[in-house]
Amino acid sequence: MGRKSFFMSLEEEITLRQFGQDILTDEVLLQRFAQFSDNDRHIHLMDLYFLVASEKPLDSDLEPAITASSLPDTDVTAIALRTHGLQRGLNHLANLSEKGYENGYKLLLYVFKMAYQRHFAQEKDHATKWQYQDLSRPGMMQEIRDRQQTLAEEVYQHPGFRNEFLCIAKLHHAEQVARQTHPALTPASGNEPTVFITYDEMITNGIRHFEEQERYSRPAWLLFNALRKAIIIQYRIDDDQARRALWDVVERHMQEQYQTSLFD
């Protein structure tokens, strides 16, 4: 299962939706983004990409987003979106080099804002999901956190789900151990002596790494998906709430059983 890219933390989603409601400025988000490592910036960029996709942006959101972001017309992400259209152009983000992460993130923030504000205007007066409620209301942030924490605790304590969670934690821990024992090939930093490997070794290592990932990640994903469906029915909640509760419970079991994190 790996690091939960494509499903951001509750705190991060709250801040992004506050930006969408003009409660926070882009400066706050960009300053935080700049502090991440290149790997974490790519992960957060892709997390935002999937959040944008969930808001179903329109091609008509593109030009206002580019204007609001104040990015130059020569920016590679703006060019890609204009050239290929919003839906296809967003896929370009997965292939950005490190130099393009910050501008790509900024432009994506404004594409999100355009799409989100359209839905927020439609939903805010009768919203049942916190995502479209007034996030400036005093106490609202704590209410969201408390509801999620209460749900995660109930799921953790449910005896009918415990064995499945323990199994997911065990599979993920085994994947971590395998990854540490047989790490994937990574580029040299430039300080180590050059070591050449044959094509056969490259292929063999690649296949072995893939097989080890599949050995643990696929059954973990199947269990996770089955639990997600069961919890949605059990607690009458939406998919977003269920996934967050599941991640929180798996993380808790990882820490208790193996003294490690789901994201190590």
Side-chain angles (χ1 to χ4, degrees), residues 130-188:
W130 70 262
Q131 287 89 340
Y132 299 105
Q133 295 175 3
D134 181 4
L135 299 181
S136 66
R137 180 168 63 83
M140 183 64 180
M141 298 301 97
Q142 195 57 47
E143 286 180 24
I144 295 170
R145 297 185 186 102
D146 289 346
R147 283 199 299 266
Q148 192 63 37
Q149 185 175 358
T150 298
L151 175 61
E153 181 64 26
E154 289 182 14
V155 173
Y156 174 81
Q157 296 293 345
H158 196 295
F161 300 137
R162 185 171 182 81
N163 286 337
E164 285 83 354
F165 277 114
L166 287 171
C167 188
I168 291 174
K170 184 176 182 179
L171 286 165
H172 189 78
H173 179 65
E175 181 186 354
Q176 288 180 333
V177 172
R179 192 165 60 240
Q180 292 166 2
T181 306
H182 302 293
L185 295 173
T186 55

Side-chain angles (χ1 to χ4, degrees), residues 206-221:
I207 291 173
R208 182 180 63 190
H209 181 69
F210 175 78
E211 288 176 343
E212 286 173 349
Q213 293 285 319
E214 283 292 293
R215 179 182 178 185
Y216 303 115
S217 62
R218 179 162 178 76
W221 179 85

Side-chain angles (χ1 to χ4, degrees), residues 85-121:
L86 188 56
Q87 300 305 321
R88 288 182 58 199
L90 285 175
N91 295 328
H92 171 77
L93 292 170
N95 301 314
L96 277 177
S97 67
E98 289 85 350
K99 293 181 179 179
Y101 286 168
E102 189 166 344
N103 282 356
Y105 187 81
K106 185 176 184 181
L107 181 52
L108 204 53
L109 279 176
Y110 281 95
V111 173
F112 166 74
K113 189 172 188 176
M114 298 300 163
Y116 173 71
Q117 287 192 337
R118 180 169 54 255
H119 294 136
F120 179 64

Side-chain angles (χ1 to χ4, degrees), residues 57-62 81 84-91 111:
L58 305 175
D59 283 335
S60 57
D61 294 327
L62 177 56
L81 295 181
H84 302 293
L86 188 56
Q87 300 305 321
R88 288 182 58 199
L90 285 175
N91 295 328
V111 173

